[in-house]
Amino acid sequence: MPDMPIQTRQRDWGAIVVTLCLMAVAGWALWEAQRMSELGKLFPITFGGLMLTLCSILLVKQLLGRSTPRLELEGSMPRRALLVVVMIAWIALLPVLGFVVAGLLGFFAIMAIAGHDGWPLPRLLRFVAIGIAVVALIAWIFQHLLHVPLPAGRVFF
Amino acid sequence: MEIFSYLLAALHPWHLGLALAGTTAGVVIGALPGLSATMAVAILVPFTFAMDPAAGLIALGAIYTGAIYGGAYSAILLNTPGTPSAIATTFDGYPMAKRGDGNLAVSLATLASVTGGVIGALFLLTLAPPLASFALVFGPVEYFWLAMFGLTLISALAEKNLLKCLIGACLGLLLSMVGSAVVGGDIRFTFNTQTLLGGIDIVAALIGIYCIPVLIELVAKAGGHLKVTTESTGYRLREAWGQFNRSRINLLRSSTIGTIVGMLPGAGGSIASLVAYSEARRTAAQPEDFGKGEPNGILATESANNATVGGGFIPTLVLGIPGTPPDAVILGALMVQGVRTGPTLFTDQAPIVYTFIFGLLIASILMLPIGLIMGRYAYRAIIRLPKEMLAPGIALLTVTGSFAIHNNLHDVQVMLGLGVMSWLLNRYGFSPSPIVLGLILGQIAEQGFVQAWLIGSATSNLWGMYFGRPLSLVIVGLAILSLFYPLLMAKLRSRRKRRLTHA
């Protein structure tokens, strides 16, 4: 996301929440380290502690409004959210529907999300045909050429 | 004159054909995110069992070198390193592709990879036995400092966000600790699930952290993925050659770094390319251009990672200690072939070894035509593909590639989780590269740190263990220089500017 314009803000509460979350991760790492062996906790304590310290400095800077501003997003937020939802559903359906069927569903769903120019019938048919060919080709390459046992699925094979 | 007979043997049509086919197969596999050089070699190793040892070795060496180079395609065109060795190639490769110089970036990567491959093979040919004994000088503490040296690259990537980059690196280090501890075997940060017991796979993390944010942004906006310029159609080889000629020192230095790091067991192409990138930036006239599409960045990383191929073979052949993971697979193949590695290999089985080294040299040179042709088509395909095809195609490769690592869905889940996290953190100024650096270097750093701590405690010389060894001090010095050099130079530049303004 390198070409997104920078928004200027004094105090970014979103960024503060993210920093607090990172502090929680570091704190949790330190907490968990207490249950580890002497050797096992050396590194988590060193770098968990360092991360907590650095996050505290960042938090102070953010509260004073001196931190670098966040990147402002361009484009459609619902499309972004939909993509993540589709990817989650795709992965969840893989063991149920199998690689090919789940792959086709995921492929077409993301194709629809990425489409900004409308879907005249000839274009749609062409893209669907290509999509089927791409999924079949990838499945064939991985399954037969590279001997990767792709998920077979409980409903379809 | 005996050496020429080995060269002639390597130039035999059968060996040339194997080098050509191996390099091509390696490039294709390496270009697919999720399929690493190790996997490329492992998949194709059974095909070499029926061959004579020299031919089998040439085929495997060609696959390996091709796969390391192939990782640059997706790094440049999709911001997703095809192999972990190509991580640093994304830093400048993708910005170049974004501004319409993707074909130039691919040509530069090809020239650099050929140079690195050739220099690495020449080191292997001429200096293998003495260099192999140098690799043994590296103890645990040197590995720890080497990993820390790799982490100092953060300062090169940081610009005005050093604090956030350091936090990102710490997060990466914590992520590298998930699963079973490298020393002691503690089960850490797994939430008591089987999913995370094996830790976070680096390749799955790479795909997620680099690819998912690109995918999320790809679907959000209308318009092309990469900028298309009028000169986009050709190889831009003359331009690349000009840049290549101006960067000879960078290429030589990076290839030497690649060879030396490649020799260190477990270090590999990712560390080599990061160290070479850091050094290229440190010595550049305009270090602030790095990370924004600086051709020298690509030249440094690609020459270094391909030089690790020859470098990695040095301890593999001379000592029987694999320098990199693909070397371990090749070492296994050598054993199947009945070739016994060791210091006497270069005298007892000279025809096999020298024919193979010349074959590796030839395979590296063959990368030039193969790479340019394949790179051109890959670039054309990426810029011409409509988003409606590109986005689901990338998504399909991310899912399939991360599944193929261990043939389980856990890696796919981890890939997506880290990808969404990376997108969110990037939005708030935490760039993905320090996280990846921490993740990659974490295990090497921890193993070295803990082992050195154990030895230091046992000998009651903890301080001396970390800071008392000359080689460690050299690496510590380089790390400090690498960390503060950009800041120092920026300060000096601003002071000079102020002086000029006053004058």
Side-chain angles (χ1 to χ4, degrees), chain A residues 1-4 12 14-15 18-19 22 25-26 28-29 32 36-37 39-40 42-44 46-48 50-51 54-55 57-58 61-62 67-68 70-77 79-80 83-84 87-88 90-91 94-95 99 103 107 110-111 113-117 119 123 127 130-131 134-135 138 142 145-146 148-151, chain B residues 29 32 35 39 43 94 98 144 148 160-161 163-164 166-167 170-171 173-174 177 181 183-184 186-191 212-213 215-222 386-389 391-393 395-401 403-404 407 409 412-413 415-416 420 422-430 442 445-446 449-450 453-454:
Chain A
M1 296 181 287
D3 57 350
M4 283 181 284
D12 186 342
V18 169
T19 308
L22 290 170
V25 169
W28 174 71
E32 284 281 304
M36 296 170 193
S37 68
L39 290 179
L42 256 179
F43 231 53
T46 309
F47 288 98
L50 181 63
M51 185 170 162
L54 294 169
C55 284
I57 299 169
L58 180 64
K61 283 180 81 173
Q62 283 170 334
S67 180
T68 47
R70 74 162 119 165
L71 300 165
E72 195 56 39
L73 296 175
E74 281 177 352
S76 161
M77 201 60 192
R79 282 178 198 265
R80 288 188 179 93
L83 178 104
V84 176
M87 290 291 286
I88 292 169
W90 186 345
I91 295 166
L94 266 172
F99 178 83
F107 194 97
I110 293 177
M111 198 169 91
I113 297 166
H116 290 260
D117 304 326
W119 295 101
R123 189 169 184 257
F127 277 34
I130 295 170
V134 168
V135 174
I138 293 285
F142 276 81
L145 218 57
L146 304 175
V148 175
L150 296 172
Chain B
I29 294 178
L32 295 171
L35 299 184
M39 199 171 173
I43 288 164
Y94 189 60
K98 286 282 280 184
F144 167 68
M148 289 296 116
K160 289 169 187 166
N161 261 338
L163 188 59
K164 285 182 180 175
L166 287 171
I167 293 171
C170 287
L171 181 64
L173 285 167
L174 286 182
M177 296 172 210
V183 182
D186 286 73
I187 303 298
R188 304 180 298 192
F189 312 129
T190 58
F191 301 98
I212 295 296
L215 197 59
I216 291 173
E217 289 310 304
L218 198 65
V219 298
K221 286 177 275 186
K387 264 186 182 175
E388 294 88 335
M389 277 288 124
L396 183 66
L397 280 177
T398 61
V399 171
T400 321
F403 177 83
N407 303 332
L409 284 167
V412 191
Q413 292 157 0
M415 180 275 296
L416 184 64
V420 175
S422 165
W423 175 81
L424 188 74
L425 288 176
N426 197 11
R427 202 185 160 201
Y428 289 98
F430 296 90
E446 182 174 10
F449 183 79
V450 177
W453 187 80
L454 273 173

Side-chain angles (χ1 to χ4, degrees), chain B residues 64-66 68-69 85 109 111-124 131 250-264 268-270 272-273 276 299-315 323-324 327 360 364 367:
Chain B
Y64 180 15
T65 200
I68 293 285
Y69 160 69
S85 300
L111 289 172
S113 296
V114 171
T115 310
V118 167
I119 290 177
L122 286 176
F123 269 107
L124 175 64
L131 283 179
N250 177 18
L251 283 159
L252 199 63
R253 183 187 51 236
S254 305
S255 302
T256 310
I257 290 172
T259 308
I260 293 170
V261 176
M263 280 169 15
L264 308 175
S270 47
S273 57
L299 290 174
T301 60
E302 282 305 305
S303 54
N305 65 24
N306 266 89
T308 58
V309 177
F313 276 118
I314 293 173
T324 59
D327 286 325
L360 193 65
S364 298
M367 243 166 14

